Amino acid sequence: MSVFKSRPALRWLVPAAAAVVVIGGGAAAGTIAASADPTLPERSAAQLLVDVQNAKVEGLSGTIVQTADLGLPSLPGVTGGANGAELMKLVAGSNTARVWYAGEDKVRLAVLGTLGETDVIRNGSDVWLWRSSANSATHFTIPADAQKQRHTALPQGVPSTPQEAADAALAAIDPTTAVTTTGAAKVAGRDAYELVLTPRDTASLVGQVRLAIDAEQHIPLGVDVYAKDATSPAVRIAFQQVSFETPDAEQFTFNPPPGTKVETPSKTDIQKEQQEAIQEHEKALKRGPGGKPEAPEGTKVVGKGWTSVMVAKLPAGDAGKQDAKGAQQLEAISGALPKVNGAWGSGRLLQSALFSALLTDDGRVLVGAVAPEKLYEVAGQ
Protein backbone atom coordinates (compact mmCIF):
# COMPACT_ATOMS: atom_id res chain seq x y z
CA MET A 1 0.00 0.00 0.00
CA SER A 2 1.15 3.52 -0.72
CA VAL A 3 3.22 5.03 2.07
CA PHE A 4 1.14 8.21 2.14
CA LYS A 5 -2.32 6.95 1.21
CA SER A 6 -2.38 4.85 4.36
CA ARG A 7 -1.84 7.83 6.67
CA PRO A 8 -5.04 9.76 7.60
CA ALA A 9 -3.12 12.92 8.54
CA LEU A 10 -1.92 13.29 4.97
CA ARG A 11 -5.41 12.96 3.54
CA TRP A 12 -5.88 16.64 4.21
CA LEU A 13 -2.21 17.57 4.35
CA VAL A 14 -1.72 16.74 0.68
CA PRO A 15 -4.44 19.02 -0.75
CA ALA A 16 -3.78 21.55 1.99
CA ALA A 17 -0.11 21.66 1.05
CA ALA A 18 -1.05 22.34 -2.54
CA ALA A 19 -3.04 25.36 -1.39
CA VAL A 20 -0.48 26.34 1.21
CA VAL A 21 2.52 26.39 -1.10
CA VAL A 22 0.74 28.50 -3.70
CA ILE A 23 -1.88 30.40 -1.83
CA GLY A 24 -0.83 30.03 1.78
CA GLY A 25 -3.28 28.69 4.39
CA GLY A 26 -6.39 30.51 5.44
CA ALA A 27 -6.82 33.97 6.75
CA ALA A 28 -8.92 35.16 9.63
CA ALA A 29 -11.84 37.36 8.68
CA GLY A 30 -10.64 40.73 7.52
CA THR A 31 -7.21 39.64 6.30
CA ILE A 32 -8.36 39.95 2.69
CA ALA A 33 -9.88 43.38 2.24
CA ALA A 34 -10.92 45.02 -1.00
CA SER A 35 -9.68 48.56 -1.52
CA ALA A 36 -12.20 51.26 -2.39
CA ASP A 37 -9.42 53.41 -3.84
CA PRO A 38 -7.02 51.14 -5.74
CA THR A 39 -3.47 52.47 -5.89
CA LEU A 40 -2.11 49.80 -8.23
CA PRO A 41 -1.67 50.22 -11.99
CA GLU A 42 -4.60 48.72 -13.87
CA ARG A 43 -4.10 45.15 -15.13
CA SER A 44 -6.54 42.98 -17.05
CA ALA A 45 -7.52 39.44 -16.09
CA ALA A 46 -5.43 38.11 -19.00
CA GLN A 47 -2.37 40.04 -17.78
CA LEU A 48 -2.82 38.70 -14.24
CA LEU A 49 -3.01 35.14 -15.53
CA VAL A 50 0.25 35.64 -17.40
CA ASP A 51 1.80 37.20 -14.28
CA VAL A 52 0.94 34.14 -12.19
CA GLN A 53 2.16 31.69 -14.81
CA ASN A 54 5.50 33.49 -15.10
CA ALA A 55 6.05 34.10 -11.38
CA LYS A 56 9.31 32.89 -9.85
CA VAL A 57 9.84 32.95 -6.09
CA GLU A 58 13.23 32.04 -4.60
CA GLY A 59 11.95 31.76 -1.04
CA LEU A 60 9.10 32.55 1.31
CA SER A 61 7.76 31.85 4.78
CA GLY A 62 4.51 32.68 6.46
CA THR A 63 1.63 31.89 8.76
CA ILE A 64 -1.51 30.57 7.16
CA VAL A 65 -5.07 30.03 8.40
CA GLN A 66 -7.88 28.22 6.64
CA THR A 67 -11.45 29.03 7.66
CA ALA A 68 -14.64 27.31 6.55
CA ASP A 69 -18.35 27.33 7.22
CA LEU A 70 -20.09 24.91 4.88
CA GLY A 71 -23.28 24.63 6.92
CA LEU A 72 -22.99 20.88 7.42
CA PRO A 73 -25.32 19.05 9.84
CA SER A 74 -24.04 17.19 12.91
CA LEU A 75 -22.37 13.97 11.75
CA PRO A 76 -21.20 11.05 13.94
CA GLY A 77 -17.42 10.68 13.92
CA VAL A 78 -17.02 14.02 12.18
CA THR A 79 -18.44 16.60 14.55
CA GLY A 80 -17.98 14.72 17.82
CA GLY A 81 -15.01 13.60 19.92
CA ALA A 82 -11.40 14.77 19.84
CA ASN A 83 -10.64 13.49 16.33
CA GLY A 84 -14.05 14.66 15.14
CA ALA A 85 -13.33 18.14 16.45
CA GLU A 86 -10.11 18.27 14.43
CA LEU A 87 -11.87 17.08 11.27
CA MET A 88 -14.80 19.42 11.81
CA LYS A 89 -12.44 22.40 11.76
CA LEU A 90 -11.87 21.66 8.07
CA VAL A 91 -15.53 22.31 7.28
CA ALA A 92 -16.68 24.60 10.11
CA GLY A 93 -13.82 26.33 11.87
CA SER A 94 -10.22 27.36 11.29
CA ASN A 95 -6.83 25.69 10.88
CA THR A 96 -3.44 27.30 11.26
CA ALA A 97 -0.18 26.28 9.59
CA ARG A 98 3.31 27.56 8.91
CA VAL A 99 5.13 27.19 5.61
CA TRP A 100 8.77 27.65 4.60
CA TYR A 101 10.07 27.45 1.03
CA ALA A 102 13.64 27.79 -0.25
CA GLY A 103 13.53 26.04 -3.60
CA GLU A 104 12.24 22.77 -5.02
CA ASP A 105 14.26 20.65 -2.60
CA LYS A 106 13.68 22.68 0.59
CA VAL A 107 10.04 22.83 1.66
CA ARG A 108 8.41 22.57 5.08
CA LEU A 109 4.75 22.58 6.09
CA ALA A 110 3.71 22.55 9.76
CA VAL A 111 0.02 22.07 10.50
CA LEU A 112 -0.91 23.18 14.01
CA GLY A 113 -3.84 21.49 15.76
CA THR A 114 -5.33 21.25 19.23
CA LEU A 115 -3.99 17.70 19.50
CA GLY A 116 -0.47 18.53 18.33
CA GLU A 117 1.57 19.43 15.27
CA THR A 118 2.11 17.56 12.01
CA ASP A 119 5.13 18.48 9.85
CA VAL A 120 6.10 17.49 6.32
CA ILE A 121 9.74 18.42 5.64
CA ARG A 122 11.70 18.08 2.39
CA ASN A 123 15.46 18.77 2.59
CA GLY A 124 17.34 17.59 -0.45
CA SER A 125 16.82 13.85 -0.77
CA ASP A 126 15.43 13.53 2.78
CA VAL A 127 11.71 13.70 3.50
CA TRP A 128 10.25 13.54 7.01
CA LEU A 129 6.68 13.26 8.28
CA TRP A 130 6.47 14.04 12.00
CA ARG A 131 3.38 13.84 14.24
CA SER A 132 3.85 15.25 17.71
CA SER A 133 0.60 13.75 19.09
CA ALA A 134 1.84 10.20 18.43
CA ASN A 135 5.51 11.09 18.95
CA SER A 136 6.21 9.31 15.67
CA ALA A 137 8.09 10.11 12.49
CA THR A 138 8.42 8.61 9.03
CA HIS A 139 11.68 9.14 7.17
CA PHE A 140 12.58 8.19 3.64
CA THR A 141 15.23 9.09 1.12
CA ILE A 142 14.30 10.03 -2.43
CA PRO A 143 16.31 7.85 -4.86
CA ALA A 144 19.00 9.71 -6.82
CA ASP A 145 17.38 8.97 -10.19
CA ALA A 146 14.01 10.22 -8.93
CA GLN A 147 15.52 13.58 -7.94
CA LYS A 148 15.91 14.32 -11.63
CA GLN A 149 12.13 14.27 -11.90
CA ARG A 150 10.88 17.76 -11.07
CA HIS A 151 7.50 16.44 -10.04
CA THR A 152 8.72 14.08 -7.30
CA ALA A 153 10.01 16.73 -4.90
CA LEU A 154 7.32 16.03 -2.32
CA PRO A 155 4.91 13.16 -1.62
CA GLN A 156 2.53 12.40 -4.45
CA GLY A 157 -0.09 15.12 -4.86
CA VAL A 158 1.98 17.93 -3.34
CA PRO A 159 3.31 20.55 -5.80
CA SER A 160 7.09 20.84 -5.77
CA THR A 161 7.05 24.63 -6.28
CA PRO A 162 4.60 27.47 -5.71
CA GLN A 163 4.45 27.97 -9.48
CA GLU A 164 3.55 24.35 -10.13
CA ALA A 165 0.58 24.57 -7.79
CA ALA A 166 -0.49 27.87 -9.39
CA ASP A 167 -0.33 26.25 -12.83
CA ALA A 168 -2.53 23.41 -11.58
CA ALA A 169 -5.12 25.83 -10.23
CA LEU A 170 -5.19 27.94 -13.38
CA ALA A 171 -5.44 24.84 -15.58
CA ALA A 172 -8.96 24.40 -14.22
CA ILE A 173 -10.08 27.52 -16.10
CA ASP A 174 -12.07 26.53 -19.18
CA PRO A 175 -14.99 27.89 -21.27
CA THR A 176 -17.37 27.18 -18.38
CA THR A 177 -15.65 29.91 -16.34
CA ALA A 178 -15.85 33.70 -16.64
CA VAL A 179 -12.63 35.44 -15.53
CA THR A 180 -12.75 39.08 -14.41
CA THR A 181 -11.04 41.49 -11.99
CA THR A 182 -12.43 43.69 -9.20
CA GLY A 183 -9.57 46.04 -8.33
CA ALA A 184 -7.04 46.05 -5.50
CA ALA A 185 -6.97 44.13 -2.24
CA LYS A 186 -4.78 43.83 0.86
CA VAL A 187 -3.51 40.46 2.08
CA ALA A 188 -1.24 40.24 5.13
CA GLY A 189 -0.38 43.90 4.62
CA ARG A 190 0.65 43.42 0.97
CA ASP A 191 -0.89 45.03 -2.11
CA ALA A 192 -2.67 42.54 -4.33
CA TYR A 193 -4.88 42.35 -7.40
CA GLU A 194 -8.11 40.37 -7.22
CA LEU A 195 -8.95 37.84 -9.92
CA VAL A 196 -12.53 36.52 -9.96
CA LEU A 197 -13.57 33.13 -11.39
CA THR A 198 -17.33 32.79 -11.90
CA PRO A 199 -19.18 29.67 -13.14
CA ARG A 200 -21.14 30.44 -16.29
CA ASP A 201 -23.65 27.73 -15.43
CA THR A 202 -25.96 29.14 -12.75
CA ALA A 203 -26.89 25.60 -11.68
CA SER A 204 -23.61 25.42 -9.76
CA LEU A 205 -23.72 26.03 -6.01
CA VAL A 206 -20.44 27.91 -6.34
CA GLY A 207 -21.02 31.63 -6.87
CA GLN A 208 -17.47 32.92 -7.21
CA VAL A 209 -13.86 32.08 -6.46
CA ARG A 210 -11.72 35.15 -5.74
CA LEU A 211 -7.92 34.99 -5.84
CA ALA A 212 -5.75 37.77 -4.41
CA ILE A 213 -2.51 37.97 -6.44
CA ASP A 214 0.56 39.68 -4.99
CA ALA A 215 1.24 42.87 -6.96
CA GLU A 216 5.02 42.45 -6.73
CA GLN A 217 5.70 38.70 -6.55
CA HIS A 218 2.71 37.69 -8.72
CA ILE A 219 1.78 34.57 -6.76
CA PRO A 220 -1.69 33.99 -5.27
CA LEU A 221 -1.78 35.13 -1.65
CA GLY A 222 -5.36 34.20 -0.84
CA VAL A 223 -8.57 32.65 -2.10
CA ASP A 224 -12.21 33.10 -1.10
CA VAL A 225 -14.85 30.60 -2.27
CA TYR A 226 -18.41 31.95 -2.19
CA ALA A 227 -21.60 29.92 -2.40
CA LYS A 228 -24.18 31.22 -4.88
CA ASP A 229 -25.90 34.42 -3.66
CA ALA A 230 -23.74 34.49 -0.50
CA THR A 231 -22.16 37.70 0.80
CA SER A 232 -19.43 36.01 2.85
CA PRO A 233 -17.10 33.19 1.79
CA ALA A 234 -17.84 29.58 2.71
CA VAL A 235 -14.12 28.83 2.50
CA ARG A 236 -11.26 31.28 2.94
CA ILE A 237 -7.57 30.46 2.47
CA ALA A 238 -4.87 33.14 2.61
CA PHE A 239 -1.62 34.25 4.16
CA GLN A 240 -2.01 35.91 7.52
CA GLN A 241 1.67 36.87 7.52
CA VAL A 242 4.23 36.37 4.74
CA SER A 243 7.87 37.18 3.99
CA PHE A 244 9.63 36.63 0.67
CA GLU A 245 13.08 36.33 2.24
CA THR A 246 14.66 32.88 1.84
CA PRO A 247 14.34 30.96 5.14
CA ASP A 248 17.44 29.81 7.03
CA ALA A 249 18.68 26.32 6.21
CA GLU A 250 17.99 25.20 9.78
CA GLN A 251 14.24 25.35 9.11
CA PHE A 252 14.64 22.29 6.89
CA THR A 253 16.79 20.26 9.29
CA PHE A 254 14.79 17.80 11.35
CA ASN A 255 16.10 15.84 14.33
CA PRO A 256 13.52 13.51 15.92
CA PRO A 257 12.85 14.42 19.58
CA PRO A 258 14.00 11.86 22.18
CA GLY A 259 11.71 8.85 22.35
CA THR A 260 10.29 9.35 18.86
CA LYS A 261 9.31 6.15 17.06
CA VAL A 262 10.88 6.41 13.60
CA GLU A 263 9.53 4.37 10.69
CA THR A 264 11.55 3.95 7.49
CA PRO A 265 9.61 2.73 4.45
CA SER A 266 11.25 0.09 2.29
CA LYS A 267 13.02 0.94 -0.95
CA THR A 268 10.22 -0.86 -2.79
CA ASP A 269 7.56 1.38 -1.22
CA ILE A 270 9.54 4.49 -2.13
CA GLN A 271 10.07 3.38 -5.72
CA LYS A 272 6.37 2.56 -6.07
CA GLU A 273 5.45 6.01 -4.71
CA GLN A 274 7.81 7.70 -7.14
CA GLN A 275 6.59 5.64 -10.09
CA GLU A 276 2.98 6.56 -9.34
CA ALA A 277 3.93 10.25 -9.24
CA ILE A 278 5.78 9.98 -12.56
CA GLN A 279 2.81 8.21 -14.18
CA GLU A 280 0.44 10.92 -12.95
CA HIS A 281 2.76 13.58 -14.36
CA GLU A 282 2.91 11.81 -17.74
CA LYS A 283 -0.89 11.64 -17.84
CA ALA A 284 -1.07 15.37 -17.09
CA LEU A 285 1.32 16.12 -19.95
CA LYS A 286 -0.85 14.11 -22.34
CA ARG A 287 -3.95 15.99 -21.23
CA GLY A 288 -2.24 19.31 -21.85
CA PRO A 289 -3.00 22.71 -20.26
CA GLY A 290 -6.55 22.84 -18.96
CA GLY A 291 -7.01 19.10 -19.46
CA LYS A 292 -9.31 17.30 -17.07
CA PRO A 293 -7.96 14.53 -14.84
CA GLU A 294 -9.24 11.00 -15.35
CA ALA A 295 -11.86 9.73 -12.94
CA PRO A 296 -10.50 7.27 -10.36
CA GLU A 297 -11.06 3.59 -11.12
CA GLY A 298 -14.63 2.58 -10.37
CA THR A 299 -16.01 6.09 -10.77
CA LYS A 300 -17.35 8.21 -13.59
CA VAL A 301 -18.00 11.91 -14.09
CA VAL A 302 -21.30 13.02 -15.58
CA GLY A 303 -21.42 16.50 -17.13
CA LYS A 304 -18.70 19.13 -17.46
CA GLY A 305 -17.28 22.07 -15.60
CA TRP A 306 -18.74 23.41 -12.39
CA THR A 307 -21.90 21.29 -12.59
CA SER A 308 -20.27 17.92 -13.18
CA VAL A 309 -21.27 15.07 -10.87
CA MET A 310 -18.97 12.28 -9.72
CA VAL A 311 -20.61 8.87 -9.40
CA ALA A 312 -18.91 6.03 -7.53
CA LYS A 313 -19.88 2.57 -6.30
CA LEU A 314 -19.29 1.69 -2.66
CA PRO A 315 -17.13 -1.44 -2.18
CA ALA A 316 -19.21 -4.58 -1.79
CA GLY A 317 -18.57 -7.99 -0.28
CA ASP A 318 -15.13 -8.73 1.16
CA ALA A 319 -13.70 -5.51 -0.33
CA GLY A 320 -16.20 -3.49 1.63
CA LYS A 321 -15.29 -5.29 4.87
CA GLN A 322 -11.53 -4.66 4.70
CA ASP A 323 -11.86 -1.40 6.58
CA ALA A 324 -14.47 -2.34 9.19
CA LYS A 325 -14.02 0.86 11.19
CA GLY A 326 -14.45 3.02 8.10
CA ALA A 327 -17.53 1.05 7.07
CA GLN A 328 -19.07 1.50 10.50
CA GLN A 329 -18.37 5.24 10.46
CA LEU A 330 -19.91 5.60 6.99
CA GLU A 331 -22.98 3.68 8.17
CA ALA A 332 -23.30 5.95 11.21
CA ILE A 333 -22.99 9.08 9.07
CA SER A 334 -25.50 7.75 6.55
CA GLY A 335 -27.98 6.94 9.31
CA ALA A 336 -27.85 10.53 10.58
CA LEU A 337 -28.77 11.99 7.18
CA PRO A 338 -32.35 12.62 6.02
CA LYS A 339 -34.01 10.00 3.83
CA VAL A 340 -34.91 10.94 0.26
CA ASN A 341 -36.55 9.04 -2.59
CA GLY A 342 -37.82 9.45 -6.11
CA ALA A 343 -38.10 7.74 -9.47
CA TRP A 344 -34.33 7.12 -9.26
CA GLY A 345 -34.70 5.08 -6.04
CA SER A 346 -34.02 5.96 -2.40
CA GLY A 347 -31.12 6.96 -0.21
CA ARG A 348 -29.68 9.60 2.12
CA LEU A 349 -28.80 13.22 1.33
CA LEU A 350 -26.01 15.46 2.61
CA GLN A 351 -26.28 19.16 1.78
CA SER A 352 -23.85 22.02 2.34
CA ALA A 353 -23.36 25.53 1.02
CA LEU A 354 -20.98 24.40 -1.74
CA PHE A 355 -21.85 20.79 -2.55
CA SER A 356 -24.44 18.02 -2.25
CA ALA A 357 -23.85 14.29 -1.78
CA LEU A 358 -26.30 11.44 -2.32
CA LEU A 359 -25.77 7.95 -0.86
CA THR A 360 -28.22 5.63 -2.60
CA ASP A 361 -29.55 2.43 -1.08
CA ASP A 362 -28.21 0.47 -4.06
CA GLY A 363 -24.62 1.37 -3.09
CA ARG A 364 -23.81 4.48 -5.12
CA VAL A 365 -22.34 7.82 -4.04
CA LEU A 366 -23.02 10.95 -6.12
CA VAL A 367 -21.24 14.21 -5.32
CA GLY A 368 -21.23 17.58 -7.03
CA ALA A 369 -21.28 21.36 -6.51
CA VAL A 370 -24.94 21.27 -7.47
CA ALA A 371 -28.39 21.21 -5.88
CA PRO A 372 -29.87 17.81 -4.89
CA GLU A 373 -32.19 17.86 -7.91
CA LYS A 374 -29.20 17.51 -10.22
CA LEU A 375 -27.97 14.48 -8.27
CA TYR A 376 -31.43 12.91 -8.52
CA GLU A 377 -31.39 13.48 -12.28
CA VAL A 378 -28.01 11.79 -12.67
CA ALA A 379 -29.01 8.94 -10.33
CA GLY A 380 -31.98 8.17 -12.57
CA GLN A 381 -29.92 7.92 -15.76
Side-chain angles (χ1 to χ4, degrees):
M1 177 176 287
S2 166
V3 176
F4 295 96
K5 291 178 182 176
S6 63
R7 287 170 169 76
L10 285 185
R11 292 176 188 172
W12 88 269
L13 261 179
V14 169
V20 162
V21 177
V22 202
I23 320 172
T31 301
I32 303 178
S35 171
D37 183 21
T39 58
L40 299 175
E42 185 174 340
R43 291 190 73 71
S44 67
Q47 288 174 317
L48 291 177
L49 290 174
V50 172
D51 287 343
V52 174
Q53 291 173 330
N54 293 330
K56 295 185 182 299
V57 175
E58 298 298 327
L60 65 81
S61 62
T63 300
I64 54 182
V65 181
Q66 173 258 347
T67 61
D69 184 6
L70 300 183
L72 288 172
S74 177
L75 300 174
V78 176
T79 59
N83 292 330
E86 286 294 304
L87 181 57
M88 191 59 186
K89 285 163 58 180
L90 296 177
V91 294
S94 65
N95 294 275
T96 302
R98 288 277 292 160
V99 62
W100 297 263
Y101 173 83
E104 294 182 8
D105 63 349
K106 290 185 183 296
V107 183
R108 179 171 184 166
L109 171 70
V111 181
L112 313 177
T114 56
L115 300 181
E117 177 178 331
T118 300
D119 285 38
V120 177
I121 306 160
R122 163 74 193 272
N123 189 2
S125 61
D126 288 319
V127 177
W128 286 90
L129 165 63
W130 178 63
R131 289 160 292 189
S132 67
S133 60
N135 198 24
S136 65
T138 301
H139 173 242
F140 70 90
T141 302
I142 299 177
D145 56 345
Q147 293 191 60
K148 297 178 182 179
Q149 294 287 340
R150 180 172 178 265
H151 292 264
T152 58
L154 281 175
Q156 182 178 353
V158 181
S160 58
T161 68
Q163 189 54 53
E164 182 179 331
D167 289 343
L170 294 175
I173 298 175
D174 60 20
T176 68
T177 307
V179 184
T180 58
T181 60
T182 63
K186 280 281 188 181
V187 182
R190 296 185 63 86
D191 290 333
Y193 291 95
E194 196 169 53
L195 190 66
V196 183
L197 312 181
T198 305
R200 295 184 186 277
D201 191 336
T202 57
S204 173
L205 292 180
V206 179
Q208 287 185 337
V209 177
R210 297 190 173 203
L211 290 88
I213 300 171
D214 190 274
E216 181 180 353
Q217 299 292 338
H218 308 307
I219 70 166
L221 294 176
V223 59
D224 283 345
V225 182
Y226 288 80
K228 186 168 63 176
D229 300 325
T231 56
S232 59
V235 178
R236 168 168 284 180
I237 306 172
F239 276 104
Q240 189 177 58
Q241 175 275 325
V242 63
S243 168
F244 288 96
E245 293 184 2
T246 302
D248 293 335
E250 64 183 23
Q251 293 291 354
F252 309 101
T253 300
F254 179 75
N255 295 311
T260 299
K261 179 182 178 181
V262 178
E263 176 186 353
T264 304
S266 67
K267 184 177 180 180
T268 300
D269 286 336
I270 296 172
Q271 290 176 335
K272 181 179 179 180
E273 199 78 31
Q274 296 299 330
Q275 187 59 39
E276 290 177 352
I278 293 171
Q279 290 174 351
E280 287 300 314
H281 175 47
E282 290 175 345
K283 290 179 181 179
L285 290 178
K286 291 179 181 179
R287 292 194 298 266
K292 299 300 181 185
E294 298 176 2
E297 185 177 353
T299 70
K300 66 177 181 179
V301 177
V302 179
K304 296 180 180 180
W306 299 85
T307 56
S308 61
V309 175
M310 187 189 75
V311 184
K313 288 283 291 184
L314 290 174
D318 292 339
K321 298 177 182 178
Q322 289 181 359
D323 185 358
K325 184 176 180 180
Q328 292 175 356
Q329 185 179 43
L330 179 60
E331 185 176 350
I333 293 174
S334 175
L337 298 175
K339 294 181 180 181
V340 290
N341 60 77
W344 51 271
S346 60
R348 303 275 183 167
L349 178 67
L350 172 64
Q351 285 184 274
S352 79
L354 293 178
F355 71 92
S356 300
L358 176 65
L359 286 73
T360 66
D361 291 339
D362 61 9
R364 292 176 293 165
V365 179
L366 296 87
V367 182
V370 294
E373 289 71 24
K374 180 64 176 180
L375 299 185
Y376 302 154
E377 176 187 333
V378 173
Q381 294 177 357

